[in-house]
Amino acid sequence: MSLQVIHNIPEICAQLGITDAVLSPGSRCAPLTIAFARHPGVQVRTVPDERAAAFIGLGIAQAQRRAVALVCTSGTAGLNYAPAVAEAYFQQIPLVVFTADRPPEWIDQLDGQTIRQTDLYGAHAKGSFTLPVDTSHPDAEWHAARIVNEAINLAQRAPAGPVQVNVPLREPFYPKAGEELTFGPVKVIREEMSAPVLLPSQAAALRDTIRNAARVLVVAGQHPWEPALQQALHQFSIAFDVPVVGDTIANLPSAIGQQDVFLAAQNQTLRESLRPTLLITFGQSLISKALKLYLRNTPIAQHWHIQAAGEVADTYRALTQIIRVEPADFFAALTAIDSTDSIGVSEAVDPSSILGTTAMRPPFPADATRVAPPAVVPISAAIETEAPSAFYTAAWQRANAQATDFLDTFFQQPNQPFNEFAAIHKALHSLPEYTALHLANSMAVRYANIIGLPKGRAVEVFANRGTSGIDGCTSTAVGAALAQPERPVVLLTGDVAFFYDRNAFWHNYPTPNLRVVLLNNHAGGIFRLIDGPRQQPELEEFFETRQPLRAENTARDFGLRYFAVSSFAELESALPVFFAAEGGAALLEITTDSQTNAAFFEHYRNTVKAAFA
């Protein structure tokens, strides 16, 4: 293979918008490494552990909202990318994965660092491409450039996702001493993408259906922070008197968000009052198991899902219609007022200001559009003479307000033992403004979803809920901190996820904006909270897998400021210093007892069930 073909790869990447690459060292990938490292238009970082490297790349892509390139050597190196590739696939995050490989004649010939790399990620990548080995003929050189273009365009085409480009390489791998690399000229194929829009007749028909439905509910799954969507959805909610429900990962500050609380009790009267006849959903997964099961087990006449492209899941077993348009465009179009419309809402959105603006910029610092939430209807204001839609909206708002009041009272109870649930409540309400909050899987994301976020601080939430694994939560947050060094990035994580992914810090790049809040109960504490395993004699050894580790050594090894707390007084004293902008990257280890945590959470569950019974 002509090395010029390899040298042209970062040039094609740069011209198609890929400005960041994460590499892991190796010999077979040396031509790719050198080409990316010397290209002036690509920010290159080296991370030795491929699993951590891939999740760091995912975190960069999440934060910057554009594709990132990954480069690794041959053999099992590429397999270590697999967890992050799967997460990127289900979260629809564009990654372009360049896996160096042996030439095809040496596959299955007992050669070192050689596995079967063709289509390495199978159904968890949008596509798999292999470059030609011999590019001496001009047609082959054209073919190689075309493949790289096609791969990058596929990764970025909606719905975005990961692609693999397998690169078989023969020696020699290295340029001669003093040899200058040239980039291009290259063939670049640009793909212009336009979002589908609703026709006026379609919008009118959908509006009529919504107006005629007495109980319309909008439920948002995981979705990036998008001011245009927040504004359009807020105006839609006002115009049609529709409640909007979303987890913390939906990034909708004005949505009803305490459903994990008020749906915890099996209150059939409450559940019936909340039952929709028309359910409108968008986004990806839900954290709230209570909401998911409620919708799944509730008879719903119609369920519309709003999604511009890609496969659609029938999560609630009620799907009746798929509407192929971006959510922001859908809600703006239905709220828009024209000569044929008579909604009569003075706050309706001008569609020309929102339609097509789905760039999904993060809120830091100037793009943070704060959307005021609809006023919560007091309990006394919900009277029988209200219209059905107003009464339905009021039912959701009352339940949410009651749940908020319940949590405020619950966490203020005196003489409570030191526990991780209450500690996280204090930490979340101390978050700096414009924080990028990363929630690790297991209990951290569940605690945060129950508690909710402080109002008015424009906190953007990220979580690896595509696959819901613990394997790269720390690395993803590190990638976000590298991508946005001017923004506070906070990771809320448990001990198993943290110690599993310690190699996230094994690199040479500063992350002074990173803060890690670690819940260390010296066990997989979630298993004490689940009815099945907590009732088994094998709980401690085979489910919790108790461990004696502390994070102080990790902090020392990687130059993180270290805070250790084991009481509420220590926590309250540490939080202001820990979250202060100055001082550099820091780790706050909150040490608790697993049995105490389980007992306190059980007390919470019993109390909330009684309160909403």
Side-chain angles (χ1 to χ4, degrees), residues 6 9 20-37 44-55 57 68-85 95-102 113-118 120-121 129 131 163-169 173-174:
I6 303 303
I9 289 176
D20 289 84
V22 181
L23 320 179
S24 294
S27 180
R28 184 65 52 171
C29 63
L32 283 163
T33 297
I34 292 169
F36 273 98
V44 178
R45 299 175 178 92
T46 300
V47 179
D49 184 321
E50 284 88 2
R51 191 187 73 200
F55 276 107
V68 167
L70 301 175
V71 175
C72 70
T73 195
S74 62
T76 57
L79 286 175
N80 284 306
Y81 280 170
V85 168
L95 297 177
V96 182
V97 180
F98 294 97
T99 52
D101 198 3
R102 288 287 197 278
Q113 283 187 253
T114 305
I115 64 172
R116 299 168 185 175
Q117 291 185 202
T118 302
L120 190 60
Y121 308 111
F129 303 81
L131 290 188
V163 299
Q164 179 198 8
V165 181
N166 201 46
V167 186
L169 291 162
F173 300 145
Y174 302 93

XYZ file of all heavy atoms in Angstrom, residues 6 9 20-37 44-55 57 68-85 95-102 113-118 120-121 129 131 163-169 173-174:
585
model
N -2.514 6.491 3.115
C -2.716 6.591 4.566
C -2.569 8.031 5.031
O -3.353 8.526 5.851
C -1.723 5.679 5.301
C -1.869 4.235 4.825
C -1.934 5.782 6.808
C -3.266 3.666 4.996
N -5.673 10.162 4.792
C -6.862 9.889 5.622
C -7.170 11.041 6.566
O -8.319 11.513 6.619
C -6.696 8.548 6.368
C -6.804 7.394 5.378
C -7.752 8.413 7.478
C -6.553 6.027 5.992
N -10.949 15.996 15.834
C -10.341 15.323 16.987
C -10.141 13.846 16.687
O -11.000 13.193 16.090
C -11.229 15.470 18.220
C -11.245 16.886 18.759
O -12.017 17.705 18.247
O -10.455 17.166 19.672
N -8.988 13.330 17.142
C -8.696 11.909 17.014
C -8.077 11.421 18.317
O -7.307 12.139 18.959
C -7.744 11.641 15.855
N -8.439 10.201 18.707
C -7.866 9.564 19.893
C -7.148 8.302 19.423
O -7.767 7.426 18.808
C -8.942 9.224 20.933
C -8.304 8.571 22.163
C -9.705 10.479 21.344
N -5.853 8.235 19.703
C -5.016 7.134 19.236
C -4.535 6.301 20.412
O -4.347 6.813 21.521
C -3.791 7.658 18.480
C -3.971 8.845 17.527
C -2.623 9.218 16.897
C -4.976 8.514 16.440
N -4.291 5.022 20.159
C -3.613 4.160 21.128
C -2.357 3.595 20.464
O -2.408 3.181 19.301
C -4.536 3.027 21.592
O -5.629 3.555 22.319
N -1.226 3.570 21.186
C 0.049 3.195 20.558
C 0.059 1.761 20.056
O -0.604 0.877 20.599
C 1.057 3.379 21.705
C 0.390 4.282 22.680
C -1.073 3.976 22.589
N 0.827 1.543 19.020
C 1.024 0.215 18.456
C 1.934 0.304 17.246
O 2.197 1.396 16.730
N 2.403 -0.856 16.797
C 3.317 -0.877 15.653
C 2.563 -0.908 14.330
O 2.844 -0.131 13.416
C 4.240 -2.094 15.754
O 5.123 -2.132 14.654
N 1.584 -1.799 14.214
C 0.888 -1.945 12.929
C 0.160 -0.668 12.536
O -0.020 -0.378 11.347
C -0.099 -3.117 13.038
C -0.845 -3.487 11.786
C 0.018 -4.010 10.655
N 0.899 -5.097 11.008
C 1.606 -5.800 10.123
N 1.528 -5.510 8.832
N 2.421 -6.746 10.522
N -0.262 0.126 13.534
C -0.983 1.359 13.229
C -0.061 2.559 13.069
O -0.534 3.701 12.958
C -2.020 1.649 14.317
S -1.313 1.937 15.956
N 1.259 2.339 13.053
C 2.220 3.450 13.003
C 1.969 4.417 11.842
O 2.033 5.639 12.038
C 3.646 2.907 12.958
N 1.707 3.948 10.618
C 1.455 4.911 9.538
C 0.248 5.811 9.818
O 0.291 7.018 9.533
C 1.204 4.019 8.319
C 1.915 2.747 8.621
C 1.758 2.561 10.092
N -0.817 5.250 10.374
C -1.982 6.058 10.736
C -1.642 7.030 11.866
O -2.018 8.209 11.825
C -3.124 5.148 11.181
C -3.898 4.418 10.081
C -4.690 3.259 10.669
C -4.825 5.372 9.342
N -0.922 6.539 12.866
C -0.554 7.387 14.001
C 0.261 8.585 13.551
O -0.011 9.733 13.932
C 0.241 6.565 15.032
O -0.585 5.516 15.537
C 0.722 7.445 16.184
N 1.259 8.345 12.743
C 2.135 9.424 12.287
C 1.360 10.417 11.425
O 1.516 11.640 11.545
C 3.339 8.836 11.520
C 4.240 8.063 12.496
C 4.132 9.926 10.808
C 5.314 7.233 11.810
N 0.495 9.900 10.558
C -0.275 10.794 9.687
C -1.189 11.708 10.497
O -1.240 12.922 10.265
C -1.090 9.970 8.694
N -1.911 11.136 11.464
C -2.788 11.967 12.297
C -1.982 12.915 13.172
O -2.352 14.078 13.352
C -3.697 11.081 13.158
C -4.976 10.657 12.477
C -5.081 9.409 11.884
C -6.061 11.514 12.418
C -6.258 9.013 11.249
C -7.242 11.139 11.783
C -7.339 9.878 11.208
N -0.899 12.422 13.752
C -0.107 13.250 14.670
C 0.488 14.463 13.968
O 0.640 15.527 14.579
C 0.994 12.410 15.301
N -4.953 15.725 18.228
C -4.691 14.309 18.456
C -4.315 14.085 19.917
O -3.497 14.815 20.480
C -3.564 13.802 17.534
C -3.278 12.334 17.815
C -3.959 13.990 16.078
N -4.913 13.056 20.526
C -4.575 12.669 21.895
C -4.272 11.179 21.917
O -4.906 10.401 21.205
C -5.727 12.995 22.852
C -6.064 14.484 22.914
C -7.288 14.725 23.792
N -7.616 16.157 23.909
C -8.448 16.808 23.120
N -9.028 16.164 22.096
N -8.706 18.089 23.310
N -3.324 10.783 22.774
C -2.929 9.389 22.893
C -3.380 8.840 24.233
O -3.074 9.418 25.278
C -1.404 9.243 22.768
O -0.982 9.726 21.492
C -0.990 7.790 22.907
N -4.091 7.726 24.198
C -4.563 7.051 25.410
C -4.184 5.577 25.274
O -4.654 4.902 24.360
C -6.088 7.213 25.590
C -6.552 6.478 26.849
C -6.463 8.685 25.659
N -3.325 5.042 26.160
C -2.814 3.674 25.965
C -3.874 2.586 26.011
O -3.798 1.613 25.252
C -1.811 3.510 27.119
C -1.427 4.896 27.505
C -2.657 5.725 27.273
N -4.842 2.701 26.906
C -5.867 1.669 27.068
C -6.963 1.903 26.029
O -7.675 2.914 26.067
C -6.440 1.755 28.486
C -7.454 0.651 28.780
O -8.256 0.302 27.892
O -7.470 0.159 29.924
N -7.128 0.953 25.119
C -8.087 1.153 24.025
C -9.524 1.288 24.514
O -10.308 2.033 23.923
C -7.989 0.001 23.010
C -6.792 0.075 22.098
C -5.561 -0.599 22.661
O -5.668 -1.167 23.779
O -4.504 -0.577 22.005
N -9.897 0.549 25.554
C -11.279 0.687 26.045
C -11.523 2.098 26.557
O -12.531 2.732 26.231
C -11.567 -0.332 27.152
C -13.047 -0.403 27.503
C -13.297 -1.287 28.706
N -12.858 -0.647 29.932
C -12.598 -1.281 31.058
N -12.701 -2.597 31.093
N -12.216 -0.629 32.142
N -10.586 2.612 27.355
C -10.708 3.982 27.849
C -10.626 4.967 26.692
O -11.371 5.958 26.645
C -9.623 4.274 28.886
N -9.737 4.728 25.746
C -9.568 5.637 24.612
C -10.853 5.800 23.832
O -11.232 6.914 23.435
C -8.454 5.115 23.698
N -11.548 4.692 23.602
C -12.783 4.758 22.811
C -13.866 5.536 23.543
O -14.597 6.325 22.939
C -13.260 3.347 22.487
N -13.981 5.329 24.850
C -14.981 6.080 25.610
C -14.592 7.559 25.737
O -15.469 8.431 25.759
C -15.192 5.459 26.990
C -16.161 4.310 26.991
C -15.721 3.005 27.135
C -17.519 4.533 26.844
C -16.613 1.939 27.140
C -18.424 3.477 26.838
C -17.977 2.175 26.985
N -13.037 9.172 23.396
C -13.473 9.682 22.094
C -14.965 9.898 22.041
O -15.448 10.899 21.495
N -15.694 11.903 15.856
C -14.325 11.773 16.344
C -13.734 10.517 15.716
O -14.428 9.508 15.534
C -14.301 11.679 17.885
C -12.939 11.222 18.394
C -14.666 13.020 18.508
N -12.431 10.568 15.381
C -11.728 9.412 14.832
C -11.010 8.653 15.946
O -10.467 9.259 16.873
C -10.716 9.856 13.778
N -11.037 7.323 15.856
C -10.274 6.460 16.751
C -9.290 5.653 15.912
O -9.631 5.225 14.803
C -11.191 5.495 17.502
C -12.300 6.083 18.375
C -13.176 4.953 18.931
C -11.726 6.911 19.504
N -8.092 5.439 16.450
C -7.065 4.687 15.727
C -6.424 3.694 16.681
O -5.972 4.073 17.779
C -5.977 5.612 15.140
C -4.861 4.784 14.497
C -6.575 6.572 14.125
N -6.373 2.421 16.290
C -5.700 1.414 17.116
C -4.921 0.453 16.237
O -5.067 0.429 15.011
C -6.703 0.648 17.978
S -7.777 -0.462 17.055
N -4.109 -0.367 16.881
C -3.310 -1.354 16.179
C -4.134 -2.614 15.934
O -5.328 -2.672 16.245
C -2.022 -1.651 16.973
O -1.096 -2.337 16.137
C -2.307 -2.480 18.222
N -3.495 -3.648 15.399
C -4.214 -4.871 15.030
C -4.411 -5.785 16.230
O -3.848 -5.586 17.301
C -3.443 -5.613 13.934
O -2.155 -5.994 14.416
N -5.229 -6.812 16.048
C -5.463 -7.803 17.090
C -6.576 -7.389 18.032
O -7.553 -6.748 17.639
N -6.401 -7.736 19.311
C -7.463 -7.496 20.289
C -7.644 -6.024 20.614
O -8.621 -5.665 21.292
C -7.187 -8.260 21.598
O -5.905 -7.868 22.106
C -7.220 -9.761 21.356
N -6.753 -5.162 20.166
C -6.911 -3.721 20.426
C -8.271 -3.240 19.949
O -8.979 -2.519 20.658
C -5.791 -2.937 19.742
N -8.655 -3.631 18.757
C -9.939 -3.203 18.220
C -11.112 -3.767 18.991
O -12.157 -3.120 19.119
N -10.968 -4.981 19.529
C -12.042 -5.562 20.330
C -12.286 -4.745 21.594
O -13.416 -4.672 22.090
C -11.698 -7.005 20.709
C -11.805 -8.051 19.599
C -11.313 -9.399 20.101
C -13.239 -8.165 19.091
N -11.245 -4.139 22.117
C -11.405 -3.318 23.315
C -12.195 -2.040 23.034
O -12.664 -1.390 23.980
C -10.034 -2.975 23.907
C -9.417 -4.147 24.634
O -10.020 -4.733 25.521
N -8.222 -4.527 24.233
N -12.344 -1.668 21.787
C -13.218 -0.547 21.413
C -14.701 -0.923 21.490
O -15.574 -0.048 21.506
C -12.946 -0.118 19.971
C -11.747 0.763 19.735
C -11.334 1.017 18.421
C -11.047 1.360 20.764
C -10.255 1.840 18.155
C -9.959 2.179 20.509
C -9.564 2.416 19.204
O -8.487 3.235 18.941
N -15.000 -2.221 21.511
C -16.376 -2.677 21.293
C -17.398 -2.089 22.263
O -18.496 -1.695 21.832
C -16.425 -4.204 21.318
N -17.133 -2.005 23.575
C -18.164 -1.426 24.455
C -18.534 0.004 24.079
O -19.711 0.366 24.070
C -17.522 -1.499 25.846
C -16.534 -2.614 25.747
C -15.991 -2.530 24.355
N -17.528 0.831 23.760
C -17.814 2.217 23.381
C -18.502 2.284 22.024
O -19.359 3.147 21.798
C -16.523 3.032 23.353
N -18.134 1.397 21.110
C -18.790 1.367 19.804
C -20.271 1.031 19.971
O -21.142 1.667 19.359
C -18.090 0.360 18.872
C -18.920 0.101 17.617
C -16.697 0.865 18.486
N -18.720 7.996 15.496
C -17.315 7.636 15.670
C -16.832 6.981 14.378
O -17.551 6.164 13.795
C -17.124 6.656 16.822
C -17.489 7.110 18.239
C -17.304 5.954 19.220
C -16.653 8.308 18.668
N -15.623 7.332 13.942
C -15.016 6.679 12.787
C -13.798 5.919 13.300
O -12.812 6.519 13.726
C -14.613 7.689 11.700
C -14.034 6.957 10.491
C -15.826 8.523 11.278
N -13.883 4.586 13.280
C -12.905 3.724 13.930
C -11.964 3.148 12.878
O -12.391 2.359 12.021
C -13.617 2.585 14.688
C -12.601 1.687 15.376
C -14.613 3.156 15.690
N -10.692 3.534 12.940
C -9.675 3.019 12.029
C -8.896 1.923 12.752
O -8.146 2.193 13.695
C -8.736 4.132 11.577
C -9.399 5.191 10.736
C -9.849 6.375 11.296
C -9.571 5.000 9.365
C -10.468 7.350 10.528
C -10.185 5.969 8.579
C -10.647 7.149 9.162
N -9.088 0.673 12.325
C -8.394 -0.462 12.932
C -7.310 -0.947 11.982
O -7.596 -1.435 10.883
C -9.380 -1.602 13.221
O -10.122 -1.911 12.013
C -10.360 -1.221 14.314
N -6.049 -0.800 12.397
C -4.952 -1.331 11.583
C -5.022 -2.861 11.586
O -5.468 -3.472 12.552
C -3.615 -0.859 12.129
N -4.564 -3.482 10.495
C -4.722 -4.928 10.353
C -3.555 -5.514 9.577
O -2.822 -4.803 8.870
C -6.045 -5.229 9.629
C -6.516 -6.670 9.804
O -5.854 -7.433 10.541
O -7.542 -7.037 9.200
N -3.372 -6.839 9.694
C -2.457 -7.576 8.828
C -3.067 -7.656 7.422
O -4.290 -7.580 7.266
C -2.263 -8.993 9.345
C -1.439 -9.118 10.618
C 0.035 -8.856 10.346
N 0.882 -9.334 11.414
C 1.146 -8.694 12.540
N 0.559 -7.523 12.768
N 1.964 -9.193 13.429
N -0.583 -10.833 16.892
C -1.562 -9.744 16.934
C -2.483 -9.753 15.719
O -2.707 -8.737 15.063
C -0.851 -8.388 17.025
C -0.311 -8.087 18.422
C 0.235 -6.676 18.538
O 1.432 -6.475 18.597
N -0.665 -5.704 18.573
N -2.999 -10.943 15.427
C -3.843 -11.113 14.248
C -5.126 -11.836 14.634
O -5.094 -12.942 15.171
C -3.107 -11.924 13.158
O -1.863 -11.302 12.874
C -3.939 -12.003 11.889
N -6.247 -11.182 14.366
C -7.555 -11.800 14.540
C -8.376 -11.507 13.291
O -7.889 -10.854 12.355
C -8.282 -11.278 15.795
C -8.586 -9.772 15.651
C -7.475 -11.550 17.060
C -9.466 -9.230 16.761
N -9.598 -11.944 13.259
C -10.480 -11.680 12.112
C -11.172 -10.336 12.338
O -12.127 -10.243 13.088
C -11.496 -12.810 11.968
C -10.842 -14.155 11.731
C -11.823 -15.293 11.872
N -11.150 -16.583 11.763
C -11.750 -17.757 11.940
N -13.043 -17.798 12.233
N -11.067 -18.876 11.835
N -10.691 -9.290 11.692
C -11.140 -7.930 11.969
C -12.205 -7.398 11.019
O -12.749 -6.327 11.246
C -9.933 -6.971 11.949
C -8.992 -7.188 13.110
C -7.865 -6.179 13.176
O -6.849 -6.433 13.770
N -8.037 -5.012 12.556
N -12.488 -8.130 9.964
C -13.532 -7.672 9.049
C -14.879 -7.659 9.765
O -15.253 -8.634 10.418
C -13.601 -8.583 7.814
O -12.322 -8.592 7.168
C -14.649 -8.089 6.841
N -15.786 -6.140 12.450
C -15.435 -6.496 13.825
C -16.570 -6.232 14.807
O -16.737 -6.960 15.780
C -14.200 -5.685 14.246
C -13.526 -6.064 15.558
C -13.042 -7.506 15.524
C -12.352 -5.132 15.835
N -17.401 -5.201 14.560
C -18.434 -4.806 15.525
C -19.822 -5.263 15.125
O -20.805 -4.955 15.819
C -18.383 -3.282 15.723
C -16.986 -2.827 16.056
C -16.241 -2.069 15.142
C -16.380 -3.201 17.244
C -14.943 -1.684 15.437
C -15.076 -2.818 17.541
C -14.367 -2.067 16.628
O -13.072 -1.701 16.914
N -15.964 -1.094 6.574
C -15.267 -0.895 5.316
C -13.842 -1.436 5.446
O -13.269 -1.418 6.547
C -15.200 0.588 4.950
C -16.539 1.275 4.860
C -17.190 1.716 6.010
C -17.151 1.487 3.632
C -18.419 2.354 5.946
C -18.382 2.118 3.551
C -19.021 2.547 4.710
N -10.039 -1.034 3.503
C -9.244 -0.399 2.458
C -8.501 -1.453 1.640
O -8.131 -2.511 2.177
C -8.223 0.567 3.071
C -8.748 1.853 3.707
C -7.590 2.769 4.073
C -9.708 2.589 2.785
N -18.770 3.764 12.682
C -18.411 2.938 11.524
C -16.976 2.464 11.705
O -16.174 3.102 12.388
C -18.546 3.702 10.186
C -19.968 4.147 9.948
C -17.600 4.882 10.135
N -16.665 1.337 11.113
C -15.302 0.805 11.149
C -14.666 0.912 9.774
O -15.298 0.609 8.755
C -15.296 -0.673 11.572
C -13.889 -1.291 11.593
C -13.913 -2.813 11.574
O -14.973 -3.431 11.402
N -12.748 -3.437 11.722
N -13.406 1.357 9.748
C -12.600 1.308 8.539
C -11.384 0.439 8.856
O -10.493 0.850 9.609
C -12.144 2.713 8.077
C -11.315 2.592 6.799
C -13.350 3.619 7.849
N -11.356 -0.769 8.331
C -10.231 -1.680 8.563
C -9.122 -1.358 7.563
O -9.378 -1.220 6.356
C -10.684 -3.129 8.416
C -9.762 -4.090 9.119
O -9.381 -3.863 10.262
N -9.393 -5.172 8.452
N -7.897 -1.234 8.066
C -6.785 -0.754 7.236
C -5.666 -1.791 7.239
O -4.799 -1.795 8.135
C -6.256 0.602 7.748
C -5.205 1.152 6.789
C -7.399 1.601 7.927
N -5.635 -2.720 6.264
C -4.536 -3.689 6.180
C -3.247 -2.971 5.759
O -3.244 -2.174 4.812
C -4.989 -4.672 5.106
C -6.413 -4.338 4.801
C -6.631 -2.919 5.203
N -2.158 -3.268 6.462
C -0.900 -2.557 6.212
C 0.259 -3.544 6.123
O 0.387 -4.453 6.948
C -0.624 -1.551 7.337
C -1.565 -0.337 7.392
C -1.493 0.330 8.750
C -1.204 0.650 6.289
N 6.431 0.530 7.773
C 5.412 1.350 8.388
C 5.826 2.809 8.554
O 4.966 3.669 8.718
C 5.059 0.805 9.784
C 4.535 -0.601 9.780
C 4.844 -1.462 10.824
C 3.729 -1.067 8.750
C 4.357 -2.756 10.832
C 3.243 -2.360 8.758
C 3.560 -3.207 9.806
N 7.135 3.055 8.538
C 7.613 4.363 8.974
C 8.239 5.140 7.817
O 8.910 4.557 6.958
C 8.641 4.198 10.092
C 8.093 3.461 11.288
C 8.232 2.069 11.403
C 7.407 4.135 12.292
C 7.714 1.385 12.483
C 6.881 3.454 13.386
C 7.032 2.074 13.471
O 6.510 1.414 14.538
